[in-house]
Amino acid sequence: MSWTRTFIAVLAVCVLLLTGSVGCGSSGTQEQPNGESLSPVGKLLEDTDDEGRAYREVDGRGAPRIGIEVKPEEDDSWAVTLTARNFRFSPPGAKSEAVAGRGLAHLYLDGRLITRLRTPEYRIPAELVARGTHQVAARLYADDGTVWAVDGEPVESTADITASGTGPTSARSTAR
């Protein structure tokens, strides 16, 4: 009956290998010699946005990019279309962790957050845009709430819009 002993020994080795690899402290972070830990996706910077969210620095090659286009609509609202490169919008309920090239966009009007987007389209209601020139900005965030950044600057794009007394009149975009 040596086959049963062999089977038990093989089973024991498999169990040890499986439990050993799970319990080896693979938390997804890398510890540096000085004790600091780096995220597996980019490097957390000390810089933060106006809401206090840390910047997550990633290499410029293959980094997420966002473009914004804002067009006036007949009902005086504004149609916003985001164009993402190297980035996918996460579905609602996504895990609160940073995944390379994934997350959501925050949409700002004159520096004030108006919505968080998990899709590339949105309509800004006319009542939010008073007469005058305004800046609409889209900024990319990881699902853990950190701001995607390249060279210390947030990944974002802006567009200037002008609303007249009779409705919207123009839109111009500038990517950063």
Side-chain angles (χ1 to χ4, degrees):
M1 299 251 180
S2 67
W3 68 270
T4 55
R5 284 188 202 151
T6 304
F7 176 74
I8 292 172
V10 168
L11 184 61
V13 168
C14 288
V15 168
L16 287 173
L17 287 174
L18 288 174
T19 59
S21 66
V22 170
C24 286
S26 59
S27 67
T29 61
Q30 301 168 348
E31 188 141 320
Q32 301 301 304
N34 63 0
E36 290 181 15
S37 68
L38 291 177
S39 168
V41 182
K43 177 184 175 188
L44 291 178
L45 302 179
E46 290 184 21
D47 293 335
T48 62
D49 68 0
D50 292 339
E51 298 169 346
R53 296 173 186 263
Y55 286 6
R56 180 175 296 280
E57 179 81 26
V58 291
D59 186 33
R61 287 177 296 139
R65 301 275 186 243
I66 192 74
I68 187 170
E69 182 178 10
V70 185
K71 292 182 179 178
E73 295 292 321
E74 288 184 20
D75 64 355
D76 292 344
S77 65
W78 296 85
V80 177
T81 304
L82 303 179
T83 306
R85 292 179 55 199
N86 302 321
F87 183 82
R88 289 181 299 130
F89 288 96
S90 298
K95 251 183 157 176
S96 181
E97 65 183 16
V99 175
R102 201 174 85 189
L104 63 152
H106 288 195
L107 192 64
Y108 297 89
L109 178 64
D110 296 331
R112 192 186 77 220
L113 177 67
I114 58 174
T115 192
R116 292 175 179 88
L117 298 173
R118 294 192 180 271
T119 62
E121 296 179 348
Y122 183 75
R123 185 174 302 271
I124 301 173
E127 57 268 13
L128 292 182
V129 185
R131 182 183 175 138
T133 300
H134 305 276
Q135 185 178 70
V136 179
R139 182 177 294 164
L140 295 182
Y141 288 78
D143 287 317
D144 67 352
T146 55
V147 182
W148 290 114
V150 175
D151 296 328
E153 295 294 324
V155 176
E156 66 181 15
S157 184
T158 61
D160 292 331
I161 60 174
T162 302
S164 65
T166 59
T169 57
S170 67
R172 184 182 78 224
S173 70
T174 310
R176 283 190 216 165

